[in-house]
Amino acid sequence: MNLHEYQAKEILRRHGVPIPDGDIATTPDAAEALAVKYGVPVMVKAQVHVGGRGKAGGVKYCATPAAAKEKATAILGMDIKGLTVLKVLVTVAEDIGSEAYVGIIVDRATKKPVFMVSAAGGIDIEEVAATTPEKIKYHPVDPRYGLRTFEAMEMGFFLYEDVKQARAAAKIMQQLYSAFIESGCSLAEINPLVVTPTGTVVAVDGKMVIDDNELDRLPAIEALRDESSEEASEVEARKANLTFIKLDGNVGCVVNGAGLAMATMDLVKYYGGDPANFLDIGGSSNPEKVVNALRIITADKNVKAILFNIFGGITRTDDVANGIVTATKANPLTVPIVIRLTGTNEEVAMKILTENGFSASSDMDEAVQKAVALATGAAA
Amino acid sequence: MNLHEYQAKEILRRHGVPIPDGDIATTPDAAEALAVKYGVPVMVKAQVHVGGRGKAGGVKYCATPAAAKEKATAILGMDIKGLTVLKVLVTVAEDIGSEAYVGIIVDRATKKPVFMVSAAGGIDIEEVAATTPEKIKYHPVDPRYGLRTFEAMEMGFFLYEDVKQARAAAKIMQQLYSAFIESGCSLAEINPLVVTPTGTVVAVDGKMVIDDNELDRLPAIEALRDESSEEASEVEARKANLTFIKLDGNVGCVVNGAGLAMATMDLVKYYGGDPANFLDIGGSSNPEKVVNALRIITADKNVKAILFNIFGGITRTDDVANGIVTATKANPLTVPIVIRLTGTNEEVAMKILTENGFSASSDMDEAVQKAVALATGAAA
Amino acid sequence: MSIFIDNTTTLLVQGITGRDGSFHAKQMMEYGTTVVGGVTPGKGGQKFEETVPIFNTVAQAVAATGANTSVIYVPPPFAADAMMEAAAAGIKLIVCITEGVPVLDMTKVYPYVKEMGARLLGPNCPGLITPGQSKVGIIPGRICAPGPVGVVSRSGTLTYEIVNLLTKAGIGQSTCVGIGGDPINGTNFIDALAAFEADPQTTVVAMMGEIGGTDEQEAAEFVRTKMSKPVVGFIAGQTAPPGRRMGHAGAIISGSAGTAAEKIEAFEKAGMGIAKRPMDFVELVKARL
Amino acid sequence: MSIFIDNTTTLLVQGITGRDGSFHAKQMMEYGTTVVGGVTPGKGGQKFEETVPIFNTVAQAVAATGANTSVIYVPPPFAADAMMEAAAAGIKLIVCITEGVPVLDMTKVYPYVKEMGARLLGPNCPGLITPGQSKVGIIPGRICAPGPVGVVSRSGTLTYEIVNLLTKAGIGQSTCVGIGGDPINGTNFIDALAAFEADPQTTVVAMMGEIGGTDEQEAAEFVRTKMSKPVVGFIAGQTAPPGRRMGHAGAIISGSAGTAAEKIEAFEKAGMGIAKRPMDFVELVKARL
């Protein structure tokens, strides 16, 4: 789950990271009032879950409260990469002497949280990694010991020659690390970490991505979820306990298992189709899940054919068949459906489907080809 | 540093350990008021840094507020093993179904915090260890991982068959562990951990000993120090940065280094004397320290002779000599002094002493014999 | 022969009285796995299916049964503790089926299990099966048959798909290992490949990877430099968009890293057979037997 | 020969610009120790005494100088970090002089140093000296002389007392090691005894213990079962009251455990020479040379 900049900053602030004052506004008047409250100049920053806000005109410097109101008027309601801006962060604009990058991810290779720091901050770290990799220092943290002072200081000195700035950065890294651990992050970053002309080190932007698996035990973090910034169908799918990702194609896919779901999408593509989604109904084969899956998929007007691909292990294929029958009785399908079922209770499932006017195969490859043909034919 | 029961309980309560309500009283009226506030029956418990309060009559059950007042009257001002009771804890008396022991120490052999738990609680754990060692389970905790749930559950099941009680105890052990770590303890114990007749698990007594080396970084714990319960001369010594322990003998010892100080005391004993104290002036040889050391030692009326034993390494013996001269000029000695000095700047030190009418030797054995003879002669 | 489990495997089931645990414990017993005990705190002393003793802790279970392997079906918040409990009790192969274990938990579980000298498979994996000998986890036994192909995969049902195709084509398996779809797991492709290389029964290896991370790339390098046996590979997720977690926590393209294309390129460089579709495995494996 | 340090020792001084660090760095240099660098964050690039380069971090210092040993003179709140920094940087012998390190810090430092494959001496110790070759720490060089006696002790000045007596009696030392007075230390008596047993130069060992813990008892058992060389022992603290910390954090009799009497009994059981007074060492050692 992504946090908004203002949410990430609030968490970092609680962990002691120096962050310029600021607060959220949903109206131009509120933005103006915040500019008065904190004192100009301020930055007005669109709060959307997408990179490149600045280039899209979603981040503006404002020398006066009136300017803050004007810029907020422009930014609120703006569309950035398909997302509507509903909130802006109004925050004190710092004078910038230098910009550095400090981030932590969970690294798969070392199986540890790994710091990435670079004196080349203020830009995308992937860009730095691609063009000037020598400017990035990587430091894996042993989570049994946490980030020790000497490690933080080594990184601090990598960023700054001045010992006070190195110490300040080291302290911020320890605070960032504790925020990272306690908030269940898979990524946390400060970009840029700024040294002001007077030598103070402050975090001017903050980003956190939470490991979805942490949310059950971190209700305070889960409460930060902003559904208005997510795809509506994905919100609905999550509430129905389905793993769903919307795509732009025309073959709606319902599969059990993430690997098989991806392989199904790939095979759709292989045979010239385009998957409309990733959808994993998971291991437990509650018919209700199938009903919800069909509702979500059929709501997508791009979908020209629906493909079920179920390999019954824990999943009982008869449950899936029952779900298909129930769902289509309640809401008759307007697009063709291709069903592939095999495994647990396959015979029962086939019987249920046949009795209800559906045909089904047990061969994945064949089913995918058929679905693609139907979707392509329908699209023509 | 020892904490009082009420202080330890307050810390444990903050970490979530279930503790019966209670508060401190310094007058019988206040004790009565607390009994009314929390509801009888209550226990009235002397708060002194000494074991065996119960046997000494310092812990009483009170069925009525009037009884609480009466018992508080008896206990306040009571002398227990040389310490005057100035405070009592008035706390709700729990019905006791069973009593267990749960404690943590830092173990030197495993170099880890080690839990000791026993279903035979309510009595001194050393007694259990001596008589029925099989009733104690020891469990070292790897501090890199903390006390994990499965470890706490193993101990919980060692104490209780009932899974709810085992879980409750396990949770309390994790809370005790976090209190132990965060308070910088060398020992923390709950004795007894009680199961009430209704099956609730509560901590009826709590004890914590803080590692003195932690106090600098834990000002909130240092603030719990109760100087009224310590030996006045030891309080004074601590403030003067001297390591001092008062004993009952007649040879006052001033030594640099803990090992040499102990060896000096032992040698005093070997030659038939009795050391009046342990005193280590430490490595830095500030003359002021010597002045303070002499003031503290000469305040002890048992002291019949003073012995300096200084092996100058970091300690400059001329600093010590200057300290002796300064101190004795301000407050002339009324008992004989024997000075042994060797090492760094020995010649200068000898010259200073001689010029000021002191004699000194460089031989430890000879000096100790002389001091013992003087103390014994003076006592005769 | 086989890898990791065989008919000497003695198994504990952690969470044996739970919904998933009890279901799969029965399935494993029916398959012939030697299930020597179960663990559910508070149910110590009872029996599962009237035969398998239940214990309060893994330590007690190991002391009483001498189990060498454990399989974990406990909810995600307790899974990390369960894995460490198994390792602490001396279990040498720990198989964690649980999906949804926080990855930060795994950053502590992994070094602990290693310190204890145990092998961990998973979490979020279907377990493993040595056809005809022992099954630990949830892989359907009936789709497998004994034979010469070692199977290793990050996925569950995709593996079933491919194993099913192989079995139907008359090609049996030495051991099928699901290493799991999480970003941090106990056993990776290389571990399994090395074991297959050393296993006399195995003559060909089928390997199913997916997008995310570099495990397949490192495995390909291992195949190239250290393996004599032929390996056929497949990568799921060629159509996955970057930055989205495709169900498996580990199946995510981060920036430009972890794409199917780079993994397939690594396979090609290693001279591996490359299955473009699941069904391609049959011919590719057959040609290498 | 000698143990732990000799003329190949290349030393870093952590905290070289502090009051104690600078004083003792000079003393060590005067004694002939090869001090190759110092560490003080923020003073990197400067020089100590116009010759020794100063670095911001131990990692930088090791990279630049190849130091194999480090001695730590930093205040107690920073000592744990300094020890771990040295271990992380690849230092193989870490000597921590600092007194007052919280014991809970040491419960983490100890396993870390071990994982890194380093030896730690201390904390709260005087360091060690191989007379005529190298001195690391604060033991006064002038009281030592090269010779056949290995000295190991929990105490500082008590050691000086006894080394001084030996030297004055014409008995030199192979290496004098102060293991420190804290309850958790990196090197214990057994480590030093084993090293002396293996050291050809050492023919007799003098060992000064004190009250608290069971390190001396285990050392006595080691002497009894594993050592061919004679050992003379002393225990300080026979007159110490129970339950009081006698200066050293480790010098405390807990309940009835860790008394001088039980330690001396262990020495007797091991057939060791027992010094009742410091001066007894001279005759006891001489008789065993």
Side-chain angles (χ1 to χ4, degrees):
Chain A
M1 184 178 90
N2 291 306
L3 297 189
H4 284 301
E5 177 193 0
Y6 78 93
Q7 295 169 326
K9 280 182 165 176
E10 191 47 48
I11 291 171
L12 293 175
R13 195 179 273 130
R14 274 206 302 277
H15 284 269
V17 176
I19 308 259
D21 285 340
D23 207 344
I24 216 71
T26 55
T27 66
D29 285 343
E32 185 179 22
L34 288 173
V36 172
K37 178 179 173 189
Y38 296 119
V40 288
V42 294
M43 302 300 294
V44 174
K45 307 174 84 176
Q47 300 296 291
V48 280
H49 291 316
V50 73
R53 292 175 301 174
K55 281 180 194 159
V59 178
K60 293 291 181 188
Y61 176 89
C62 308
T64 65
K69 181 175 179 175
E70 184 200 323
K71 300 298 181 190
T73 307
I75 295 171
L76 285 163
M78 180 186 272
D79 180 288
I80 302 181
K81 297 187 186 172
L83 292 170
T84 306
V85 180
L86 300 172
K87 293 174 191 165
V88 291
L89 172 64
V90 181
T91 181
V92 171
E94 294 286 340
D95 284 342
I96 292 175
S98 72
E99 297 184 304
Y101 172 92
V102 174
I104 322 175
I105 53 158
V106 179
D107 178 54
R108 304 159 71 122
T110 57
K111 302 181 200 282
K112 289 174 183 161
V114 170
F115 266 87
M116 295 171 295
V117 301
S118 175
I123 51 169
D124 188 358
I125 192 69
E126 295 236 352
E127 202 180 310
V128 181
T131 57
T132 50
E134 71 284 0
K135 288 191 179 167
I136 304 180
K137 182 180 174 79
Y138 296 90
H139 181 82
V141 179
D142 187 330
R144 301 172 301 164
Y145 297 97
L147 180 67
R148 289 161 291 190
T149 303
F150 76 87
E151 300 172 282
M153 282 299 281
E154 282 173 12
M155 291 189 280
F157 277 120
F158 180 78
L159 296 181
Y160 305 116
E161 273 193 32
D162 179 81
V163 67
K164 278 187 194 155
Q165 289 168 19
R167 264 193 229 283
K171 197 170 169 195
I172 289 169
M173 288 181 226
Q174 290 184 306
Q175 292 159 337
L176 179 67
Y177 182 77
S178 79
F180 175 88
I181 296 294
E182 288 178 24
S183 308
C185 292
S186 49
L187 177 149
E189 68 180 27
I190 296 171
N191 186 23
L193 182 71
V194 160
V195 179
T196 68
T198 57
T200 312
V201 184
V202 290
V204 162
D205 201 348
K207 183 179 175 186
M208 284 187 162
V209 180
I210 311 297
D211 176 2
D212 291 346
N213 292 343
E214 295 271 4
L215 293 170
D216 278 347
R217 64 180 176 193
L218 296 173
I221 301 285
E222 171 66 43
L224 298 177
R225 187 186 288 282
D226 178 5
E227 291 186 349
S228 70
S229 66
E230 296 178 70
E231 174 69 43
S233 58
E234 294 185 7
V235 172
E236 195 186 347
R238 188 177 58 247
K239 288 182 177 166
N241 268 317
L242 298 167
T243 311
F244 175 81
I245 293 169
K246 196 182 169 326
L247 301 169
D248 297 327
N250 51 15
V251 180
C253 302
V254 182
V255 190
N256 67 322
L260 188 60
M262 281 189 278
T264 305
M265 290 160 58
D266 294 349
L267 203 59
V268 165
K269 186 85 174 178
Y270 181 87
Y271 285 118
D274 254 317
N277 62 277
F278 169 94
L279 197 160
D280 174 9
I281 61 167
S284 102
S285 54
N286 175 338
E288 192 61 28
K289 276 198 168 180
V290 177
V291 172
N292 286 323
L294 271 172
R295 192 184 63 247
I296 291 161
I297 285 184
T298 53
D300 178 355
K301 293 309 158 206
N302 290 334
V303 169
K304 302 301 177 204
I306 294 168
L307 168 65
F308 270 74
N309 183 16
I310 306 295
F311 197 109
I314 322 177
T315 310
R316 286 170 49 185
T317 58
D318 54 330
D319 279 346
V320 176
N322 279 323
I324 294 172
V325 171
T326 309
T328 52
K329 270 187 186 152
N331 296 293
L333 290 175
T334 58
V335 292
I337 183 168
V338 179
I339 303 167
R340 183 273 177 133
L341 292 172
T342 192
T344 312
N345 294 2
E346 180 177 337
E347 296 76 15
V348 183
M350 290 296 185
K351 189 155 173 285
I352 293 167
L353 291 172
T354 315
E355 284 171 5
N356 286 277
F358 293 96
S359 64
S361 97
S362 66
D363 186 291
M364 172 174 169
D365 207 77
E366 182 188 307
V368 170
Q369 289 189 52
K370 195 170 159 193
V372 170
L374 286 166
T376 320
Chain B
M1 184 178 93
N2 291 307
L3 296 189
H4 284 299
E5 176 192 2
Y6 78 93
Q7 296 169 324
K9 281 181 163 177
E10 192 47 47
I11 291 172
L12 293 175
R13 196 179 273 132
R14 273 206 302 278
H15 283 269
V17 176
I19 308 258
D21 284 342
D23 208 344
I24 215 72
T26 54
T27 67
D29 285 342
E32 185 179 24
L34 288 174
V36 171
K37 177 179 174 188
Y38 294 120
V40 285
V42 294
M43 302 300 293
V44 174
K45 307 175 84 174
Q47 300 296 291
V48 280
H49 291 315
V50 74
R53 291 174 303 173
K55 282 181 194 157
V59 178
K60 293 290 180 187
Y61 175 89
C62 309
T64 64
K69 181 174 180 175
E70 184 200 325
K71 299 298 182 192
T73 308
I75 295 171
L76 286 163
M78 179 184 273
D79 180 289
I80 302 182
K81 297 189 186 169
L83 292 170
T84 306
V85 180
L86 300 173
K87 294 175 190 166
V88 291
L89 172 63
V90 181
T91 182
V92 171
E94 294 287 340
D95 284 343
I96 291 175
S98 71
E99 296 184 306
Y101 173 92
V102 175
I104 321 175
I105 54 158
V106 179
D107 178 54
R108 304 159 73 122
T110 57
K111 303 181 198 284
K112 290 175 182 160
V114 171
F115 266 87
M116 296 172 294
V117 301
S118 175
I123 52 170
D124 188 357
I125 192 69
E126 294 236 352
E127 202 180 311
V128 181
T131 56
T132 50
E134 72 284 359
K135 289 191 178 168
I136 304 180
K137 182 181 174 78
Y138 296 90
H139 180 82
V141 179
D142 187 329
R144 300 172 304 162
Y145 297 96
L147 180 66
R148 289 161 291 189
T149 304
F150 77 85
E151 301 173 280
M153 281 298 282
E154 282 173 13
M155 290 189 281
F157 278 120
F158 181 78
L159 296 182
Y160 306 115
E161 272 193 33
D162 179 82
V163 65
K164 277 187 195 157
Q165 289 168 19
R167 264 193 230 283
K171 198 170 167 193
I172 289 169
M173 287 181 225
Q174 289 183 306
Q175 292 159 337
L176 179 67
Y177 182 77
S178 79
F180 175 88
I181 296 293
E182 287 178 24
S183 307
C185 292
S186 51
L187 177 149
E189 68 180 26
I190 295 171
N191 187 22
L193 181 71
V194 160
V195 179
T196 67
T198 58
T200 312
V201 184
V202 290
V204 162
D205 201 348
K207 183 178 174 186
M208 284 186 163
V209 180
I210 311 297
D211 176 2
D212 290 347
N213 291 344
E214 297 270 3
L215 293 170
D216 277 347
R217 64 180 176 192
L218 296 173
I221 300 285
E222 170 67 41
L224 299 176
R225 186 186 288 284
D226 179 6
E227 290 186 348
S228 70
S229 66
E230 297 177 68
E231 175 68 44
S233 58
E234 294 184 8
V235 174
E236 194 186 348
R238 189 177 56 246
K239 288 179 177 168
N241 269 316
L242 298 168
T243 309
F244 174 80
I245 292 169
K246 196 186 170 324
L247 301 170
D248 296 328
N250 52 14
V251 180
C253 302
V254 181
V255 191
N256 67 324
L260 189 59
M262 282 188 278
T264 304
M265 288 160 59
D266 294 349
L267 202 59
V268 165
K269 185 86 175 177
Y270 180 88
Y271 284 119
D274 253 320
N277 62 278
F278 169 93
L279 196 160
D280 175 11
I281 61 167
S284 104
S285 54
N286 176 338
E288 191 60 27
K289 276 198 168 180
V290 177
V291 172
N292 287 321
L294 270 172
R295 192 184 62 248
I296 290 162
I297 286 184
T298 51
D300 178 354
K301 294 307 160 209
N302 289 335
V303 170
K304 302 301 176 206
I306 295 169
L307 168 65
F308 270 74
N309 183 16
I310 305 297
F311 197 108
I314 320 175
T315 310
R316 286 170 48 186
T317 58
D318 55 328
D319 279 346
V320 176
N322 278 322
I324 294 171
V325 170
T326 308
T328 51
K329 269 189 184 150
N331 295 294
L333 291 175
T334 57
V335 293
I337 183 169
V338 178
I339 303 168
R340 184 274 177 132
L341 292 172
T342 190
T344 312
N345 293 2
E346 180 177 335
E347 296 75 17
V348 184
M350 292 295 187
K351 188 156 174 284
I352 292 166
L353 290 172
T354 316
E355 284 173 6
N356 285 278
F358 293 96
S359 64
S361 99
S362 67
D363 185 294
M364 171 175 169
D365 207 77
E366 182 188 307
V368 171
Q369 290 190 52
K370 193 167 159 196
V372 170
L374 286 167
T376 321
Chain C
M1 288 294 291
S2 60
I3 70 169
F4 303 156
I5 58 169
D6 56 28
N7 51 24
T8 67
T9 295
T10 49
L11 184 71
L12 284 185
V13 179
Q14 291 177 252
I16 196 167
T17 59
R19 197 178 57 101
D20 292 346
S22 59
F23 177 80
H24 291 291
K26 273 181 242 169
Q27 298 269 311
M28 290 187 283
M29 288 160 73
E30 279 166 24
Y31 193 76
T33 305
T34 311
V35 177
V36 296
V39 177
T40 297
K43 300 206 172 162
Q46 301 180 17
K47 295 226 168 178
F48 175 75
E49 292 284 296
E50 291 169 23
T51 54
V52 178
I54 304 178
F55 302 88
N56 283 331
T57 68
V58 179
Q60 288 168 356
V62 169
T65 68
N68 56 25
T69 301
S70 185
V71 62
I72 294 171
Y73 300 92
V74 305
F78 312 114
D81 196 64
M83 290 181 251
M84 293 199 278
E85 180 177 7
I91 292 288
K92 290 302 167 204
L93 173 65
I94 302 160
V95 180
C96 184
I97 307 302
T98 309
E99 180 177 356
V101 180
V103 69
L104 289 177
D105 283 5
M106 289 309 301
T107 64
K108 287 198 163 182
V109 170
Y110 184 80
Y112 184 71
V113 167
K114 216 169 145 190
E115 283 186 86
M116 294 293 111
R119 169 180 298 287
L120 172 67
L121 185 67
N124 188 19
C125 82
L128 72 171
I129 185 168
T130 291
Q133 296 194 53
S134 186
K135 153 181 159 158
V136 175
I138 66 175
I139 297 177
R142 59 183 158 66
I143 62 170
C144 306
V149 181
V151 176
V152 57
S153 173
R154 268 167 75 183
S155 155
T157 45
L158 174 60
T159 313
Y160 310 166
E161 186 75 44
I162 287 156
V163 168
N164 193 42
L165 288 168
L166 291 173
T167 299
K168 285 194 167 159
I171 305 168
Q173 305 88 40
S174 52
T175 302
C176 304
V177 181
I179 62 172
D182 275 2
I184 297 185
N185 52 23
T187 295
N188 63 19
F189 280 121
I190 290 179
D191 299 325
L193 291 173
F196 282 130
E197 175 72 10
D199 171 41
Q201 179 182 338
T202 305
T203 60
V204 179
V205 179
M207 164 178 169
M208 292 115 230
E210 58 191 37
I211 54 164
T214 57
D215 206 13
E216 289 84 355
Q217 294 87 312
E218 285 140 28
E221 186 58 18
F222 182 84
V223 169
R224 194 176 71 79
T225 57
K226 303 270 167 62
M227 282 187 77
S228 63
K229 297 179 184 176
V231 181
V232 177
F234 176 83
I235 298 293
Q238 306 188 40
T239 51
R244 303 303 304 271
R245 168 174 153 172
M246 303 302 282
H248 285 165
I252 181 166
I253 299 167
S254 307
S256 57
T259 63
E262 73 189 49
K263 288 168 194 268
I264 289 169
E265 197 189 317
F267 285 0
E268 279 168 354
K269 197 178 156 201
M272 289 167 52
I274 294 167
K276 294 187 174 169
R277 304 169 297 177
M279 66 182 290
D280 293 342
F281 268 103
V282 174
E283 292 310 317
L284 289 166
V285 166
K286 203 176 270 175
R288 287 165 175 78
L289 281 174
Chain D
M1 289 294 290
S2 59
I3 71 169
F4 303 155
I5 59 170
D6 57 27
N7 50 25
T8 69
T9 296
T10 49
L11 185 71
L12 284 186
V13 180
Q14 290 177 251
I16 196 166
T17 58
R19 198 179 56 102
D20 291 347
S22 59
F23 177 80
H24 290 290
K26 273 181 245 170
Q27 299 269 311
M28 290 186 284
M29 289 159 73
E30 279 167 23
Y31 193 75
T33 305
T34 311
V35 177
V36 295
V39 177
T40 297
K43 301 206 172 162
Q46 300 181 15
K47 296 225 167 177
F48 175 76
E49 294 283 297
E50 291 168 24
T51 54
V52 178
I54 304 178
F55 301 88
N56 283 330
T57 68
V58 179
Q60 288 168 356
V62 170
T65 68
N68 55 26
T69 302
S70 184
V71 63
I72 295 170
Y73 301 92
V74 305
F78 312 113
D81 196 64
M83 290 181 250
M84 295 200 278
E85 181 176 6
I91 291 289
K92 290 303 167 203
L93 174 65
I94 302 159
V95 179
C96 184
I97 308 302
T98 309
E99 179 177 358
V101 180
V103 69
L104 289 177
D105 284 5
M106 289 309 301
T107 64
K108 286 198 164 185
V109 170
Y110 184 80
Y112 184 71
V113 167
K114 215 169 147 190
E115 284 186 87
M116 293 294 111
R119 168 178 298 287
L120 172 67
L121 186 68
N124 188 18
C125 80
L128 71 174
I129 185 168
T130 292
Q133 296 193 53
S134 186
K135 153 181 160 159
V136 175
I138 66 175
I139 298 176
R142 59 183 156 66
I143 61 170
C144 305
V149 182
V151 177
V152 56
S153 172
R154 270 166 75 182
S155 155
T157 45
L158 174 60
T159 314
Y160 310 165
E161 186 73 46
I162 288 156
V163 169
N164 193 44
L165 288 168
L166 291 173
T167 300
K168 285 195 167 159
I171 306 168
Q173 305 89 39
S174 52
T175 302
C176 304
V177 182
I179 62 172
D182 276 2
I184 297 185
N185 52 22
T187 295
N188 63 19
F189 279 123
I190 289 179
D191 299 325
L193 290 174
F196 281 130
E197 175 72 10
D199 171 40
Q201 180 182 337
T202 305
T203 59
V204 179
V205 179
M207 165 177 168
M208 292 115 231
E210 58 192 37
I211 53 163
T214 57
D215 205 13
E216 289 83 356
Q217 294 88 312
E218 285 140 28
E221 185 59 17
F222 181 85
V223 169
R224 194 176 70 79
T225 58
K226 304 271 168 63
M227 282 188 75
S228 63
K229 298 178 183 176
V231 181
V232 177
F234 175 84
I235 299 293
Q238 306 188 40
T239 50
R244 301 303 305 269
R245 169 175 152 172
M246 304 302 283
H248 285 165
I252 180 166
I253 299 167
S254 308
S256 56
T259 63
E262 72 189 52
K263 289 168 193 270
I264 288 169
E265 196 188 318
F267 284 180
E268 278 168 353
K269 198 178 155 203
M272 288 166 54
I274 293 166
K276 294 187 174 171
R277 304 170 297 177
M279 66 180 292
D280 294 341
F281 268 102
V282 175
E283 293 309 319
L284 289 167
V285 167
K286 201 177 271 174
R288 287 165 174 80
L289 282 174

